[in-house]
Amino acid sequence: MTETTATTPTTATSAVTAATGTAVPAAPAATTAASVTTAATPGPANLTFTCTGVRADAYAAGPTLVFRLRVTADPDTRVHALALRCQLRIEPARRRYGPAEAEGLADLFGERSRWGTTLQPVQFAQVAVMVPSFTGETETDLVVPCSYDMDIAASRYFSALEAGEVPLLMLFSGTAFTGAGGFRVEPVPWDREASYRMPVAVWREMVEQHFPGCGWLRLPRDTMAELLAFRSRHALASWEATVRALLDAADTAKPPPVAGLRLGGAVPGVTGRTAP
């Protein structure tokens, strides 16, 4: 009977070398887990946003607010550029209102007794800004053109406030270009937002810069033509005198209700972000 003996690769190699006199290359050793290195993949920038202040732009062609925005990323993440979009909303339920303010807001939200259901967010503005390259943290200006048009709900809301602050919510989206060597593209998460309480005095300062002591009213062309004809017929010196004459001649009785119009129905509820 022939006896068989199992040999390891090292033993077999030694036996072949002894028999033939020729060295046989040894099999490569198995690679261990400790010897494997993998290049780290950079994570998301983890952007956060904070509004640090606001001012009225005294040199703008029209009413303009400038919000100061702080953008923060992970300290080790290089942000080459940030194409940012921002929606601004008024959160009217987050402040108190005096009797005169409540009266001025009646056409937006109805009687105070109904405010539990009608005091919904009001869309203020939607703007875009390109943030330049930074690492860690930077600050930039968010320029928001405004309107004094009383047909716009946000303008009517601002004009009804006497003092205090306006509770704002900023909702962010956009695209970030990041990376240390080269760059990669990642979206700004849609859950990024920032709250800010804007002083009412800043809004009033902005309006006074462009309409000192005055208001602004938009009318259709045919109505303007009728007003101009009325002013010419009565030889009135100014538009203020024209409107005053009409007010003095108006009937003091309450006007009949307009079909389909109700207080508090002018502002649609804002329930989610609008599409960019």
Side-chain angles (χ1 to χ4, degrees):
M1 178 180 296
T2 303
E3 182 178 357
T4 303
T5 304
T7 59
T8 63
T10 303
T11 304
T13 302
S14 301
V16 171
T17 303
T20 63
T22 304
V24 177
T31 304
T32 62
S35 64
V36 177
T37 57
T38 304
T41 302
N46 292 328
L47 297 168
T48 58
F49 303 91
T50 307
C51 184
T52 61
V54 63
R55 59 182 173 84
D57 191 346
Y59 303 101
T64 303
L65 292 174
V66 181
F67 292 86
R68 192 64 177 170
L69 191 64
R70 178 182 298 151
V71 186
T72 305
D74 284 344
D76 297 332
T77 301
R78 175 67 181 272
V79 179
H80 298 285
L82 179 60
L84 192 64
R85 293 184 295 272
C86 178
Q87 297 180 40
L88 292 93
R89 291 181 184 168
I90 302 169
E91 301 280 297
R94 292 170 48 204
R95 63 156 285 168
R96 297 180 180 273
Y97 302 92
E101 293 175 331
E103 183 178 353
L105 294 171
D107 63 334
L108 288 178
F109 307 118
E111 299 297 329
R112 191 188 284 267
S113 59
R114 300 176 51 208
W115 282 10
T117 56
T118 62
L119 215 61
Q120 299 297 321
V122 177
Q123 190 76 9
F124 175 27
Q126 181 167 322
V127 294
V129 62
M130 182 63 73
V131 182
S133 175
F134 70 95
T135 300
E137 183 178 285
T138 189
E139 291 194 1
T140 188
D141 286 338
L142 187 68
V143 180
V144 181
C146 301
S147 172
Y148 196 54
D149 186 352
M150 290 295 103
D151 286 340
I152 297 177
S155 298
R156 297 210 305 276
Y157 177 85
F158 288 130
S159 64
L161 303 183
E162 295 180 336
E165 298 172 331
V166 179
L168 297 177
L169 180 64
M170 299 179 173
L171 307 174
F172 298 98
S173 61
T175 305
F177 302 89
T178 64
F183 70 91
R184 62 193 182 94
V185 180
E186 62 179 272
V188 176
W190 274 55
D191 61 352
R192 297 300 186 262
E193 59 185 41
S195 297
Y196 182 69
R197 302 187 73 88
M198 182 183 75
V200 175
V202 176
W203 172 269
R204 295 190 176 277
E205 176 188 353
M206 177 196 70
V207 172
E208 284 298 313
Q209 288 175 355
H210 296 274
F211 306 102
C214 302
W216 187 88
L217 184 64
R218 183 181 64 180
L219 295 173
R221 288 192 181 91
D222 55 350
T223 304
M224 283 297 301
E226 292 181 24
L227 281 174
L228 182 58
F230 178 86
R231 176 178 175 176
S232 299
R233 287 197 305 270
H234 296 273
L236 297 170
S238 64
W239 286 115
E240 179 184 359
T242 302
V243 175
R244 177 56 57 189
L246 290 171
L247 291 175
D248 292 341
D251 188 3
T252 57
K254 292 184 179 180
V258 179
L261 180 64
R262 64 181 179 85
L263 291 177
V267 182
V270 179
T271 57
R273 295 172 182 256
T274 57

